[in-house]
Amino acid sequence: AQKITQTQPGMFVQEKEAVTLDCTYDTSDPSYGLFWYKQPSSGEMIFLIYQGSYDQQNATEGRYSLNFQKARKSANLVISASQLGDSAMYFCAMRPLYSGAGSYQLTFGKGTKLSVIP
Amino acid sequence: DAGITQSPRYKITETGRQVTLMCHQTWSHSYMFWYRQDLGHGLRLIYYSAAADITDKGEVPDGYVVSRSKTENFPLTLESATRSQTSVYFCASSDRGSALGYFGAGTRLSVL
């Protein structure tokens, strides 16, 4: 079984500052993928960034980077230079990476609500 | 339109009624999923399908029925809706061999 823990129900950040959203995970799978999704107030789920457990480098996508620490089982999202439009719910998720029907389903954390202050 | 489409976007129904939520994807992805989102729970998997005519239960399947007669469609049916099924429902798809999944816009269901 997989488990995702997001310990920050809500966070505030000043506009233009960087912010880190925490995510820890638990899994017995040897190979897995980690994801971050953004959910604005409009409700859609927007994919932000992906990290494979065997990737040597931390993933980056524009202002988003994933601070992956495998030994600590953490996959924190770092948003640099926060913008007002970054205010949203953020979900960490994971799935095992193996061939099989059960390997494509995502397990989600409960989310962190980020509010960017002007 | 290319992508994954859910309908309706909003639905109000009464307890005991049957409701079907539709999901259609244009990519021919093998895998399709239904999640529900409730405050304080994040997204939880209801059912998933690995291919046409292959479905399996997720974390919270009770009260739901799915079918997948065609690769592109994955309807979710609440056979007798209950108030506890008031939620936002997301359909998602993923292609075999791909790490990424794609979400529909969601259906907000209220059961009165």
Side-chain angles (χ1 to χ4, degrees), chain A residues 41-90:
Chain A
S41 58
S42 53
E44 70 268 31
M45 295 291 287
I46 301 170
F47 166 74
L48 294 179
I49 196 166
Y50 165 79
Q51 175 87 41
S53 60
Y54 282 101
D55 292 338
Q56 295 297 315
Q57 291 188 321
N58 287 344
T60 60
E61 290 286 349
R63 295 186 298 111
Y64 304 107
S65 60
L66 199 154
N67 184 2
F68 179 47
Q69 298 186 47
K70 193 172 183 178
R72 298 181 64 181
K73 295 189 175 181
S74 72
N76 298 339
L77 177 70
V78 180
I79 305 175
S80 62
S82 297
Q83 302 172 355
L84 295 179
D86 294 334
S87 294
M89 282 289 289
Y90 289 81

Side-chain angles (χ1 to χ4, degrees), chain A residues 9-28:
Chain A
M11 287 195 69
F12 291 89
V13 64
Q14 202 77 37
E15 192 178 8
K16 301 180 184 178
E17 297 291 313
V19 63
T20 298
L21 305 184
D22 293 342
C23 173
T24 58
Y25 60 90
D26 192 22
T27 182
S28 57

Side-chain angles (χ1 to χ4, degrees), chain B residues 52-86:
Chain B
D53 298 322
I54 300 175
T55 62
D56 207 347
K57 297 178 180 179
E59 180 184 354
V60 288
D62 293 344
Y64 303 96
V65 174
V66 294
S67 62
R68 197 171 177 201
S69 58
K70 294 183 178 181
T71 299
E72 60 267 31
N73 297 323
F74 191 39
L76 176 74
T77 298
L78 289 67
E79 291 192 307
S80 179
T82 65
R83 290 180 179 172
S84 65
Q85 293 177 309
T86 293

